[in-house]
Amino acid sequence: MATRQRQGFVVFVVALFVRAVAAVVTTLTTLNPDSTADAVAFARVANTVAEHLAQGRLTTPGEGYIYDLWGSFLAPFWLLPGPSGLYARLGNALLAAFAIYNVYLIARTYHSHRAGVLAALPMIFYPSFVAVHSTVLREAIVLFGITTAARLVVVSSRYYSRRLTYPLAGVTLYMAYIMRTDNGIIYAAAIVAALATHAVMRTSNPGRVVGIGTGLSVVGFVLALPLVRDAVEQLARIRNVRAFGRAVYLPDVVPRTVLELLAFSWIGAAYFLYAPFPWMIETVPDVLVSIEGVVSIGFTVAGVWGVRWLAQRELPITVGLLVGLLVAVTLYGVGTANYGTGMRHRQMFLWVVFLFGAIGLAERIAFRIPTLRHRESTRPSRLD
């Protein structure tokens, strides 16, 4: 028990250390491109809100919903004496390290320490992850909210009352939602899929339930078709807005109907998850992110094994994670036309690819990752 806790602690500390060093570098230099644009706006709002709080006023500068919201979350760092920007970056680094630890715990619970380390490694060392997590952007808190909710449901609920863990999961997922409300449909799809799978497994006549559910789904889709069309048009507008800059790709491909969206979805998903591809490389940072894409493709291939293995043991959880991932990459794949933007946004969902891929690799390939003891059990144990 103590050994397993120390192993998880090492993963957390390494993730935090890497981001803390990057946060210091980002504070002292202009080398990190993710510390510009939105990051500057968030810091400006946080400083203004902090000044208002010091004067006894609870007001925001009105720069926009998300700027005021996330800026208000960051404002306490600007009330502290010293380098407020560094404090905020270290706070984000802490949230990101916890998120990586969550993914490690989920993989370790369902498979092994080896799988947990494999799932955590790309999240710890991908340059794009480190660059984003060492700024004041909101990606770290969104990732923290999603992975903490998943951990509370699939890990902590094994050892503590679900009356405690499920409400806490709802709170952390809601925190992630308000920071990026576009993800609401993704969370809903994942939760509904997991609950529906659980209900089918518990019924005495699963075939009938699946048939009824399929029929109701078709009817619901037909009834919701006007809303679906509006959503497709909204995605088209978002894609047009983002189709600019050096990192743009396929700017003239804009799906405007449901059929066009379905036809383009797998292409958009591939670009969203893995771009830039070799023919898109123009700078040294492009090379680094392209290498990340190659590694992510490897995890995706291995994830086929991981999905099969995990589905045999935890089908509802597997279906929920898989449906959430597919909905996410479909929507973001269509709505994204710039791999600079995609590089930040895919961090919210790549952890599922790493989770499945790590389990698949650990299950199919014989190798050893050093542990703090000679023997390692793949059986779940109390982690919290």
Side-chain angles (χ1 to χ4, degrees):
M1 171 63 181
T3 299
R4 293 173 69 86
Q5 288 180 333
R6 287 197 296 271
Q7 291 166 348
F9 181 70
V10 169
V11 171
F12 171 80
V13 169
V14 172
L16 179 59
F17 175 78
V18 171
R19 280 149 181 77
V21 171
V24 173
V25 173
T26 299
T27 302
L28 298 177
T29 71
T30 58
L31 296 176
N32 188 347
D34 292 304
S35 63
T36 60
D38 278 350
V40 173
F42 287 131
R44 182 174 61 248
V45 171
N47 182 56
T48 301
V49 172
E51 290 177 350
H52 291 177
L53 288 174
Q55 299 168 5
R57 295 185 291 151
L58 296 174
T59 56
T60 58
E63 292 200 18
Y65 163 76
I66 194 58
Y67 292 101
D68 290 345
L69 177 64
W70 181 228
S72 297
F73 268 78
L74 294 172
F77 292 110
W78 267 260
L79 291 173
L80 301 174
S84 301
L86 175 60
Y87 300 152
R89 292 181 178 96
L90 292 176
N92 254 0
L94 184 64
L95 290 175
F98 270 115
I100 294 169
Y101 177 65
N102 289 335
V103 176
Y104 165 81
L105 280 184
I106 295 171
R108 190 180 77 179
T109 299
Y110 283 127
H111 196 274
S112 61
H113 167 69
R114 182 168 63 251
V117 171
L118 283 174
L121 278 176
M123 299 182 71
I124 293 175
F125 294 111
Y126 268 18
S128 63
F129 275 64
V130 176
V132 171
H133 295 167
S134 58
T135 68
V136 296
L137 294 173
R138 55 193 157 130
E139 271 67 25
I141 194 171
V142 174
L143 183 63
F144 170 79
I146 297 172
T147 58
T148 301
R151 171 194 170 181
L152 288 168
V153 170
V154 305
V155 178
S156 298
S157 61
R158 290 185 168 201
Y159 313 112
Y160 301 102
S161 171
R162 294 180 180 179
R163 294 181 179 179
L164 171 65
T165 57
Y166 282 13
L168 287 176
V171 170
T172 58
L173 192 61
Y174 179 73
M175 179 176 62
Y177 166 73
I178 62 174
M179 289 299 169
R180 194 172 287 280
T181 55
D182 296 341
N183 290 348
I185 189 173
I186 300 170
Y187 306 149
I191 294 170
V192 169
L195 292 176
T197 304
H198 179 72
V200 169
M201 292 178 62
R202 290 178 61 89
T203 185
S204 59
N205 192 346
R208 182 180 180 183
V209 173
V210 171
I212 294 174
T214 302
L216 291 175
S217 298
V218 172
V219 172
F221 178 79
V222 172
L223 294 176
L225 195 55
L227 295 177
V228 173
R229 289 171 178 166
D230 290 342
V232 173
E233 292 178 0
Q234 176 64 15
L235 286 173
R237 287 192 291 270
I238 293 174
R239 185 174 181 82
N240 279 325
V241 169
R242 292 175 176 170
F244 71 93
R246 184 188 64 82
V248 69
Y249 58 83
L250 304 179
D252 299 324
V253 182
V254 183
R256 298 187 182 279
T257 68
V258 175
L259 291 179
E260 289 178 355
L261 182 146
L262 293 176
F264 178 73
S265 60
W266 68 275
I267 300 173
Y271 273 87
F272 173 69
L273 286 176
Y274 311 122
F277 295 112
W279 59 87
M280 304 166 69
I281 295 175
E282 297 180 358
T283 65
V284 173
D286 287 349
V287 175
L288 297 177
V289 182
S290 182
I291 293 173
E292 292 180 6
V294 173
V295 176
S296 296
I297 290 173
F299 271 91
T300 304
V301 174
V304 176
W305 301 331
V307 168
R308 291 180 59 187
W309 189 91
L310 189 57
Q312 294 173 358
R313 291 154 180 82
E314 292 289 345
L315 184 59
I317 298 300
T318 306
V319 171
L321 290 174
L322 193 59
V323 168
L325 175 64
L326 292 176
V327 172
V329 298
T330 298
L331 296 180
Y332 275 91
V334 173
T336 303
N338 183 303
Y339 63 78
T341 302
M343 177 199 70
R344 297 193 304 273
H345 291 173
R346 66 192 180 202
Q347 296 178 15
M348 298 180 287
F349 314 111
L350 264 180
W351 69 271
V352 180
V353 174
F354 298 147
L355 172 65
F356 287 140
I359 292 175
L361 288 171
E363 185 62 23
R364 295 295 293 265
I365 301 175
F367 60 92
R368 171 177 288 277
I369 287 180
T371 63
L372 298 182
R373 62 180 180 181
H374 294 296
R375 292 186 302 172
E376 171 194 23
S377 171
T378 61
R379 298 174 57 189
S381 68
R382 187 181 180 92
L383 303 176
D384 297 274

